[in-house]
Coordinates of all heavy atoms in Angstrom, one line a residue:
M8 N 39.7 -4.0 2.0 CA 38.9 -3.5 3.1 C 37.9 -2.4 2.6 O 36.7 -2.4 3.0 CB 39.8 -3.0 4.2 CG 39.1 -2.3 5.4 SD 38.4 -3.6 6.3 CE 37.9 -2.8 7.7
I9 N 38.4 -1.5 1.8 CA 37.5 -0.4 1.3 C 36.4 -1.0 0.4 O 35.3 -0.6 0.4 CB 38.3 0.6 0.5 CG1 39.2 1.4 1.5 CG2 37.4 1.6 -0.2 CD1 40.1 2.3 0.9
K10 N 36.8 -2.1 -0.4 CA 35.8 -2.7 -1.2 C 34.7 -3.3 -0.4 O 33.5 -3.2 -0.7 CB 36.5 -3.7 -2.1 CG 35.6 -4.4 -3.1 CD 36.4 -5.4 -4.0 CE 35.5 -6.0 -5.0 NZ 36.2 -6.9 -5.9
T11 N 35.0 -3.9 0.7 CA 34.1 -4.6 1.6 C 33.1 -3.6 2.2 O 31.9 -3.8 2.2 CB 34.8 -5.4 2.7 OG1 35.7 -6.3 2.1 CG2 33.8 -6.1 3.6
I12 N 33.7 -2.5 2.6 CA 32.9 -1.4 3.3 C 31.9 -0.8 2.2 O 30.8 -0.5 2.5 CB 33.8 -0.3 3.8 CG1 34.5 -0.9 5.1 CG2 33.0 0.9 4.3 CD1 35.6 0.0 5.6
T13 N 32.4 -0.6 1.0 CA 31.6 0.0 -0.1 C 30.4 -1.0 -0.4 O 29.3 -0.5 -0.5 CB 32.5 0.2 -1.3 OG1 33.6 1.0 -1.1 CG2 31.6 0.8 -2.4
I14 N 30.7 -2.3 -0.5 CA 29.6 -3.2 -0.7 C 28.6 -3.2 0.4 O 27.4 -3.3 0.2 CB 30.2 -4.6 -0.9 CG1 31.0 -4.7 -2.3 CG2 29.1 -5.7 -1.0 CD1 31.8 -5.9 -2.5
F15 N 29.1 -3.2 1.6 CA 28.2 -3.1 2.8 C 27.3 -1.9 2.8 O 26.1 -2.0 3.0 CB 29.1 -3.1 4.1 CG 28.3 -3.0 5.3 CD1 27.5 -4.1 5.8 CD2 28.3 -1.9 6.0 CE1 26.8 -4.0 7.0 CE2 27.5 -1.7 7.2 CZ 26.8 -2.8 7.6
L16 N 27.9 -0.7 2.4 CA 27.1 0.5 2.4 C 26.1 0.5 1.3 O 25.0 0.9 1.4 CB 28.0 1.7 2.3 CG 28.9 2.0 3.6 CD1 29.9 3.2 3.3 CD2 28.0 2.3 4.7
L17 N 26.5 0.0 0.1 CA 25.6 -0.1 -1.0 C 24.4 -1.1 -0.6 O 23.2 -0.8 -1.0 CB 26.3 -0.6 -2.2 CG 27.2 0.4 -2.9 CD1 28.0 -0.2 -4.0 CD2 26.4 1.6 -3.4
T18 N 24.7 -2.2 0.1 CA 23.6 -3.1 0.5 C 22.7 -2.4 1.4 O 21.5 -2.5 1.3 CB 24.3 -4.4 1.2 OG1 25.2 -5.0 0.3 CG2 23.2 -5.3 1.6
L19 N 23.2 -1.7 2.4 CA 22.3 -0.9 3.3 C 21.4 0.1 2.6 O 20.2 0.2 2.8 CB 23.1 -0.2 4.4 CG 23.7 -1.0 5.5 CD1 24.6 -0.2 6.4 CD2 22.6 -1.7 6.3
L20 N 22.0 0.8 1.6 CA 21.3 1.8 0.9 C 20.2 1.1 0.0 O 19.1 1.6 0.0 CB 22.3 2.6 0.0 CG 21.6 3.6 -0.9 CD1 21.0 4.7 -0.1 CD2 22.7 4.2 -1.8
Y21 N 20.5 0.0 -0.6 CA 19.6 -0.7 -1.4 C 18.4 -1.2 -0.6 O 17.2 -1.1 -0.9 CB 20.2 -1.9 -2.2 CG 19.2 -2.7 -2.9 CD1 18.7 -2.3 -4.1 CD2 18.8 -3.9 -2.4 CE1 17.8 -3.0 -4.8 CE2 17.8 -4.7 -3.1 CZ 17.4 -4.2 -4.3 OH 16.5 -4.9 -5.0
N22 N 18.7 -1.8 0.5 CA 17.6 -2.3 1.4 C 16.7 -1.2 1.9 O 15.6 -1.3 2.0 CB 18.2 -3.1 2.6 CG 18.8 -4.4 2.1 OD1 18.4 -4.9 1.1 ND2 19.7 -5.0 2.9
D23 N 17.3 -0.1 2.3 CA 16.6 1.1 2.8 C 15.6 1.6 1.7 O 14.4 1.8 1.9 CB 17.5 2.2 3.2 CG 16.8 3.3 4.0 OD1 15.9 2.9 4.8 OD2 17.0 4.4 3.7
C24 N 16.1 1.7 0.4 CA 15.3 2.1 -0.7 C 14.1 1.1 -0.9 O 13.0 1.5 -1.3 CB 16.1 2.3 -1.9 SG 17.2 3.8 -1.8
S25 N 14.4 -0.1 -0.8 CA 13.4 -1.1 -1.1 C 12.3 -1.0 -0.1 O 11.1 -1.2 -0.4 CB 14.0 -2.6 -1.0 OG 14.9 -2.7 -2.0
S26 N 12.6 -0.8 1.2 CA 11.6 -0.7 2.2 C 10.7 0.6 2.0 O 9.5 0.6 2.2 CB 12.1 -0.7 3.6 OG 12.9 0.4 3.8
V27 N 11.3 1.6 1.5 CA 10.6 2.9 1.2 C 9.6 2.6 0.0 O 8.4 3.0 0.1 CB 11.5 4.0 0.9 CG1 10.8 5.2 0.3 CG2 12.3 4.4 2.0
K28 N 10.1 1.9 -1.0 CA 9.2 1.6 -2.2 C 8.0 0.7 -1.7 O 6.9 0.9 -2.1 CB 10.0 0.8 -3.2 CG 10.9 1.7 -4.0 CD 11.7 0.8 -5.0 CE 12.8 1.7 -5.6 NZ 13.6 0.8 -6.5
A29 N 8.2 -0.2 -0.8 CA 7.2 -1.1 -0.3 C 6.2 -0.3 0.5 O 5.0 -0.4 0.4 CB 7.8 -2.2 0.6
T30 N 6.6 0.7 1.3 CA 5.8 1.5 2.1 C 4.9 2.4 1.1 O 3.7 2.6 1.4 CB 6.6 2.4 3.0 OG1 7.3 1.6 3.9 CG2 5.7 3.3 3.9
V31 N 5.5 3.0 0.1 CA 4.8 3.8 -0.8 C 3.7 3.0 -1.5 O 2.6 3.4 -1.7 CB 5.7 4.5 -1.8 CG1 5.0 5.1 -3.0 CG2 6.6 5.5 -1.1
G32 N 4.0 1.7 -1.9 CA 3.1 0.9 -2.5 C 1.9 0.6 -1.6 O 0.8 0.5 -2.0
L33 N 2.1 0.4 -0.3 CA 1.1 0.1 0.6 C 0.2 1.4 0.7 O -1.0 1.3 0.9 CB 1.6 -0.2 2.0 CG 2.3 -1.6 2.1 CD1 2.9 -1.8 3.5 CD2 1.3 -2.7 1.8
E34 N 0.8 2.6 0.7 CA 0.0 3.8 0.8 C -1.0 3.9 -0.4 O -2.1 4.3 -0.3 CB 0.9 5.0 0.9 CG 1.5 5.3 2.2 CD 0.4 5.5 3.3 OE1 -0.6 6.3 3.0 OE2 0.5 4.9 4.4
A35 N -0.5 3.5 -1.6 CA -1.3 3.6 -2.8 C -2.4 2.6 -2.7 O -3.6 2.9 -3.0 CB -0.5 3.2 -4.0
D36 N -2.2 1.4 -2.1 CA -3.3 0.5 -1.9 C -4.3 0.9 -1.0 O -5.5 0.6 -1.1 CB -2.7 -0.9 -1.4 CG -1.9 -1.6 -2.5 OD1 -2.1 -1.3 -3.7 OD2 -1.1 -2.5 -2.2
K37 N -3.9 1.7 0.1 CA -4.9 2.2 1.0 C -5.8 3.2 0.4 O -7.0 3.4 0.8 CB -4.2 2.9 2.2 CG -3.5 1.9 3.2 CD -2.9 2.7 4.3 CE -2.1 1.9 5.2 NZ -1.5 2.7 6.3
N38 N -5.4 3.9 -0.6 CA -6.1 5.0 -1.2 C -7.0 4.5 -2.4 O -7.8 5.2 -2.9 CB -5.2 6.1 -1.7 CG -4.6 6.9 -0.5 OD1 -5.3 7.1 0.4 ND2 -3.4 7.2 -0.7
T39 N -6.7 3.2 -2.9 CA -7.4 2.7 -4.0 C -8.7 2.1 -3.6 O -8.8 1.3 -2.6 CB -6.6 1.6 -4.7 OG1 -5.4 2.2 -5.1 CG2 -7.3 1.0 -5.9
V40 N -9.8 2.4 -4.3 CA -11.1 1.8 -4.1 C -11.7 1.5 -5.4 O -11.2 1.9 -6.4 CB -12.1 2.7 -3.3 CG1 -11.5 3.0 -1.9 CG2 -12.3 4.1 -4.0
Y41 N -12.8 0.8 -5.4 CA -13.5 0.3 -6.6 C -15.0 0.8 -6.5 O -15.6 0.7 -5.5 CB -13.4 -1.2 -6.7 CG -12.0 -1.7 -6.7 CD1 -11.3 -1.9 -5.6 CD2 -11.3 -1.8 -8.0 CE1 -10.0 -2.3 -5.6 CE2 -10.0 -2.2 -8.0 CZ -9.3 -2.4 -6.8 OH -8.0 -2.8 -6.9
I42 N -15.5 1.2 -7.7 CA -16.9 1.6 -7.8 C -17.5 1.0 -9.0 O -16.8 0.7 -9.9 CB -17.0 3.2 -7.8 CG1 -16.3 3.8 -9.0 CG2 -16.5 3.8 -6.6 CD1 -16.5 5.3 -9.3
C43 N -18.8 0.9 -8.9 CA -19.5 0.4 -10.1 C -19.7 1.6 -11.1 O -20.0 2.7 -10.7 CB -20.9 -0.1 -9.7 SG -21.9 -0.8 -11.0
G44 N -19.4 1.3 -12.3 CA -19.4 2.3 -13.4 C -20.8 2.8 -13.8 O -20.9 3.7 -14.6
S45 N -21.9 2.3 -13.2 CA -23.2 2.7 -13.5 C -23.4 4.1 -12.8 O -22.7 4.5 -11.9 CB -24.3 1.8 -13.0 OG -24.4 1.8 -11.6
N46 N -24.4 4.8 -13.3 CA -24.7 6.1 -12.7 C -25.5 6.0 -11.4 O -25.6 7.0 -10.7 CB -25.6 7.0 -13.7 CG -24.8 7.3 -14.9 OD1 -23.6 7.5 -14.9 ND2 -25.5 7.5 -16.1
N47 N -25.9 4.8 -11.0 CA -26.7 4.6 -9.8 C -25.9 4.2 -8.6 O -26.5 4.2 -7.5 CB -27.8 3.5 -10.1 CG -28.7 3.9 -11.2 OD1 -29.0 5.0 -11.4 ND2 -29.2 2.9 -12.0
G48 N -24.6 3.9 -8.8 CA -23.8 3.4 -7.7 C -23.6 4.5 -6.6 O -23.3 5.6 -6.9
K49 N -23.8 4.0 -5.4 CA -23.7 5.0 -4.2 C -22.6 4.6 -3.3 O -22.4 5.3 -2.3 CB -25.1 5.0 -3.5 CG -26.2 5.5 -4.3 CD -27.5 5.5 -3.6 CE -28.6 6.0 -4.5 NZ -29.9 5.7 -4.0
R50 N -22.0 3.5 -3.5 CA -21.0 3.0 -2.5 C -19.6 2.8 -3.2 O -19.5 2.6 -4.5 CB -21.4 1.6 -2.0 CG -22.7 1.6 -1.4 CD -22.7 2.3 -0.1 NE -24.0 2.2 0.6 CZ -24.2 2.4 1.9 NH1 -23.2 2.7 2.6 NH2 -25.3 2.2 2.4
Y51 N -18.5 2.9 -2.4 CA -17.2 2.5 -2.9 C -16.8 1.2 -2.1 O -17.3 1.0 -1.0 CB -16.2 3.6 -2.8 CG -15.9 4.1 -1.4 CD1 -14.9 3.5 -0.6 CD2 -16.5 5.2 -0.8 CE1 -14.6 3.9 0.7 CE2 -16.2 5.6 0.5 CZ -15.3 5.0 1.2 OH -14.9 5.4 2.5
H52 N -15.9 0.5 -2.7 CA -15.5 -0.8 -2.1 C -14.0 -0.9 -2.0 O -13.3 -0.4 -2.9 CB -16.0 -1.9 -3.1 CG -17.5 -1.8 -3.4 ND1 -18.5 -2.4 -2.6 CD2 -18.2 -1.0 -4.3 CE1 -19.7 -2.0 -3.1 NE2 -19.5 -1.2 -4.1
L53 N -13.6 -1.5 -1.0 CA -12.1 -1.6 -0.7 C -11.4 -2.7 -1.5 O -10.2 -2.6 -1.7 CB -11.9 -1.9 0.8 CG -12.5 -0.8 1.7 CD1 -12.3 -1.2 3.2 CD2 -11.9 0.5 1.4
T54 N -12.2 -3.7 -2.0 CA -11.6 -4.7 -2.8 C -12.5 -4.9 -4.1 O -13.7 -4.7 -4.0 CB -11.6 -6.1 -2.1 OG1 -12.9 -6.5 -1.7 CG2 -10.7 -6.0 -0.8
K55 N -11.9 -5.3 -5.1 CA -12.6 -5.5 -6.4 C -13.5 -6.7 -6.4 O -14.4 -6.9 -7.2 CB -11.7 -5.5 -7.6 CG -10.7 -6.6 -7.7 CD -9.8 -6.5 -8.8 CE -8.7 -7.6 -8.8 NZ -7.8 -7.4 -9.9
N56 N -13.3 -7.6 -5.4 CA -14.1 -8.8 -5.3 C -15.1 -8.7 -4.2 O -15.7 -9.7 -3.7 CB -13.2 -10.0 -5.0 CG -12.2 -10.3 -6.1 OD1 -12.5 -10.1 -7.3 ND2 -11.0 -10.6 -5.7
C57 N -15.4 -7.5 -3.8 CA -16.4 -7.3 -2.7 C -17.8 -7.8 -3.1 O -18.2 -7.7 -4.2 CB -16.5 -5.8 -2.4 SG -17.8 -5.4 -1.2
R58 N -18.4 -8.4 -2.1 CA -19.8 -8.9 -2.3 C -20.8 -7.8 -2.8 O -21.7 -8.1 -3.6 CB -20.2 -9.5 -1.0 CG -21.6 -10.1 -1.0 CD -21.8 -10.7 0.4 NE -23.1 -11.2 0.6 CZ -23.6 -11.8 1.7 NH1 -22.8 -11.9 2.7 NH2 -24.8 -12.2 1.7
G59 N -20.6 -6.6 -2.4 CA -21.4 -5.5 -2.8 C -21.3 -5.1 -4.2 O -22.2 -4.5 -4.8
L60 N -20.3 -5.5 -4.9 CA -20.1 -5.2 -6.4 C -20.7 -6.3 -7.2 O -20.7 -6.3 -8.4 CB -18.6 -5.1 -6.7 CG -18.0 -3.7 -6.4 CD1 -16.5 -3.8 -6.6 CD2 -18.6 -2.7 -7.3
S61 N -21.2 -7.4 -6.6 CA -21.7 -8.5 -7.4 C -22.9 -8.2 -8.3 O -23.1 -8.8 -9.3 CB -22.0 -9.7 -6.4 OG -23.0 -9.4 -5.5
N62 N -23.7 -7.2 -7.9 CA -24.9 -6.8 -8.6 C -24.5 -5.7 -9.7 O -25.4 -5.3 -10.5 CB -25.9 -6.2 -7.7 CG -26.6 -7.3 -6.9 OD1 -26.6 -8.5 -7.3 ND2 -27.0 -7.0 -5.7
C63 N -23.3 -5.3 -9.8 CA -22.9 -4.3 -10.8 C -22.9 -4.9 -12.1 O -22.2 -5.8 -12.4 CB -21.5 -3.7 -10.4 SG -21.0 -2.4 -11.6
R64 N -23.7 -4.3 -13.0 CA -23.8 -4.8 -14.4 C -22.9 -4.0 -15.3 O -22.7 -4.3 -16.4 CB -25.3 -4.7 -14.9 CG -26.2 -5.5 -14.1 CD -25.9 -7.0 -14.3 NE -26.8 -7.8 -13.3 CZ -26.3 -8.6 -12.5 NH1 -25.0 -8.8 -12.3 NH2 -27.1 -9.3 -11.7
A65 N -22.4 -2.9 -14.8 CA -21.4 -2.1 -15.6 C -20.0 -2.4 -15.3 O -19.8 -3.4 -14.5 CB -21.7 -0.6 -15.2
K66 N -19.1 -1.8 -15.8 CA -17.6 -2.0 -15.6 C -17.3 -1.5 -14.2 O -17.7 -0.5 -13.7 CB -16.8 -1.3 -16.6 CG -15.3 -1.5 -16.5 CD -14.6 -0.8 -17.6 CE -13.1 -1.0 -17.5 NZ -12.4 -0.3 -18.5
T67 N -16.5 -2.3 -13.5 CA -15.9 -1.9 -12.2 C -14.8 -1.0 -12.4 O -13.9 -1.3 -13.2 CB -15.5 -3.1 -11.4 OG1 -16.6 -4.0 -11.2 CG2 -14.9 -2.7 -10.0
I68 N -14.8 0.2 -11.8 CA -13.8 1.2 -12.0 C -12.9 1.4 -10.8 O -13.4 1.4 -9.7 CB -14.5 2.6 -12.3 CG1 -15.3 2.5 -13.5 CG2 -13.4 3.7 -12.4 CD1 -16.2 3.7 -13.7
K69 N -11.6 1.4 -11.0 CA -10.6 1.6 -10.0 C -10.4 3.1 -9.8 O -10.1 3.8 -10.8 CB -9.3 0.9 -10.3 CG -8.2 0.9 -9.3 CD -7.0 0.1 -9.8 CE -5.8 0.2 -8.8 NZ -4.7 -0.6 -9.3
T70 N -10.5 3.6 -8.6 CA -10.3 5.0 -8.4 C -9.7 5.3 -7.0 O -9.3 4.3 -6.4 CB -11.7 5.8 -8.6 OG1 -11.5 7.2 -8.5 CG2 -12.7 5.4 -7.5
T71 N -9.6 6.5 -6.6 CA -9.1 6.9 -5.3 C -10.3 7.1 -4.3 O -11.4 7.5 -4.8 CB -8.2 8.1 -5.3 OG1 -9.0 9.2 -5.7 CG2 -7.0 7.9 -6.2
I72 N -10.0 6.9 -3.1 CA -11.1 7.2 -2.1 C -11.5 8.6 -2.1 O -12.7 8.9 -1.9 CB -10.6 6.7 -0.7 CG1 -11.7 6.6 0.3 CG2 -9.5 7.6 -0.1 CD1 -11.4 5.8 1.6
E73 N -10.6 9.5 -2.3 CA -10.9 11.0 -2.4 C -11.9 11.2 -3.5 O -12.9 12.0 -3.3 CB -9.7 11.8 -2.6 CG -8.7 11.8 -1.4 CD -7.8 10.6 -1.5 OE1 -7.6 9.9 -2.5 OE2 -7.2 10.4 -0.4
K74 N -11.7 10.7 -4.7 CA -12.6 10.9 -5.9 C -14.0 10.3 -5.6 O -15.0 10.9 -5.9 CB -12.0 10.4 -7.1 CG -10.9 11.1 -7.7 CD -10.3 10.5 -9.0 CE -9.2 11.3 -9.5 NZ -8.6 10.7 -10.7
A75 N -14.0 9.1 -5.0 CA -15.2 8.4 -4.7 C -16.1 9.3 -3.7 O -17.3 9.4 -3.8 CB -15.0 7.1 -4.1
K76 N -15.4 9.8 -2.7 CA -16.1 10.6 -1.7 C -16.6 11.9 -2.3 O -17.7 12.4 -1.9 CB -15.2 10.9 -0.5 CG -15.0 9.7 0.4 CD -14.2 10.0 1.6 CE -14.1 8.8 2.6 NZ -13.3 9.1 3.8
K77 N -15.8 12.5 -3.2 CA -16.3 13.7 -3.9 C -17.5 13.5 -4.7 O -18.3 14.4 -4.9 CB -15.1 14.3 -4.8 CG -14.1 15.1 -4.0 CD -13.0 15.6 -4.9 CE -11.9 16.3 -4.1 NZ -10.9 16.8 -5.0
E78 N -17.7 12.3 -5.2 CA -18.8 11.9 -6.0 C -20.0 11.5 -5.0 O -21.1 11.1 -5.5 CB -18.6 10.7 -6.9 CG -17.5 11.1 -8.0 CD -17.2 9.9 -8.8 OE1 -17.8 8.8 -8.7 OE2 -16.2 10.0 -9.6
G79 N -19.8 11.6 -3.7 CA -20.9 11.4 -2.8 C -21.0 9.9 -2.4 O -22.0 9.5 -1.7
K80 N -20.1 9.1 -2.7 CA -20.2 7.7 -2.4 C -19.7 7.4 -1.0 O -18.8 8.1 -0.5 CB -19.3 6.9 -3.4 CG -19.8 7.1 -4.9 CD -19.2 6.2 -5.8 CE -19.5 6.4 -7.3 NZ -20.9 6.5 -7.6
T81 N -20.3 6.4 -0.4 CA -19.9 6.0 0.9 C -19.4 4.6 1.0 O -19.7 3.9 0.0 CB -21.1 6.2 1.9 OG1 -22.2 5.4 1.4 CG2 -21.6 7.6 2.1
L82 N -18.8 4.2 2.1 CA -18.2 2.8 2.1 C -19.3 1.8 2.1 O -20.4 1.9 2.8 CB -17.4 2.7 3.4 CG -16.8 1.3 3.7 CD1 -15.8 0.9 2.6 CD2 -16.1 1.3 5.1
C83 N -19.1 0.7 1.4 CA -20.0 -0.4 1.3 C -20.3 -1.0 2.7 O -19.4 -1.1 3.5 CB -19.4 -1.5 0.4 SG -20.3 -3.0 0.4
G84 N -21.5 -1.3 2.9 CA -22.0 -1.9 4.2 C -21.3 -3.2 4.5 O -21.2 -3.6 5.7
W85 N -20.9 -4.0 3.5 CA -20.3 -5.3 3.7 C -18.8 -5.1 4.2 O -18.3 -6.0 4.8 CB -20.2 -6.1 2.4 CG -21.6 -6.5 1.9 CD1 -22.2 -6.0 0.9 CD2 -22.5 -7.5 2.6 NE1 -23.5 -6.7 0.7 CE2 -23.6 -7.6 1.8 CE3 -22.3 -8.3 3.6 CZ2 -24.7 -8.4 2.0 CZ3 -23.4 -9.2 4.0 CH2 -24.5 -9.2 3.2
E86 N -18.3 -3.9 4.0 CA -16.9 -3.7 4.4 C -16.7 -2.8 5.6 O -15.6 -2.4 5.9 CB -16.1 -3.2 3.2 CG -16.1 -4.1 2.0 CD -15.4 -3.6 0.8 OE1 -15.9 -2.6 0.3 OE2 -14.4 -4.2 0.5
E87 N -17.8 -2.4 6.2 CA -17.7 -1.5 7.4 C -17.1 -2.2 8.6 O -17.2 -3.4 8.8 CB -19.0 -0.9 7.7 CG -19.5 0.0 6.7 CD -20.8 0.7 7.1 OE1 -21.7 0.0 7.6 OE2 -21.0 1.9 6.8

């Protein structure tokens, strides 16, 4: 009986931790944006495959929305 209860509690604990990890992962995705690595880029993009990045001839850079905004970048018009 004690063994069954222990397994049940461990299962609950594991499932609870898994959902927390998934939530934290989603938060990271919300904060991730993409910018063109050229000095001329004025926009940030929510996805690396955004139509607005198609003209970027430099490397696409993964960054946070906070850093992009600090650099004066605004949301891409295709993603508004």
Side-chain angles (χ1 to χ4, degrees):
M8 178 73 169
I9 293 175
K10 184 176 181 181
T11 304
I12 293 172
T13 304
I14 292 172
F15 176 74
L16 292 175
L17 288 173
T18 304
L19 284 177
L20 180 62
Y21 175 77
N22 287 338
D23 190 41
C24 291
S25 296
S26 64
V27 169
K28 287 178 188 175
T30 302
V31 170
L33 290 175
E34 282 299 315
D36 290 342
K37 286 183 189 178
N38 292 321
T39 299
V40 295
Y41 301 87
I42 59 173
C43 182
S45 72
N46 293 330
N47 301 328
K49 297 177 182 167
R50 304 290 186 160
Y51 65 86
H52 308 268
L53 302 177
T54 63
K55 63 182 175 184
N56 298 323
C57 175
R58 181 176 175 181
L60 278 169
S61 63
N62 290 330
C63 179
R64 301 291 173 237
K66 183 178 178 181
T67 300
I68 300 169
K69 183 177 177 179
T70 187
T71 64
I72 195 167
E73 293 84 15
K74 287 181 183 178
K76 286 183 176 181
K77 282 182 184 176
E78 293 176 11
K80 300 189 186 307
T81 57
L82 179 62
C83 171
W85 295 107
E86 297 178 295
E87 291 182 321

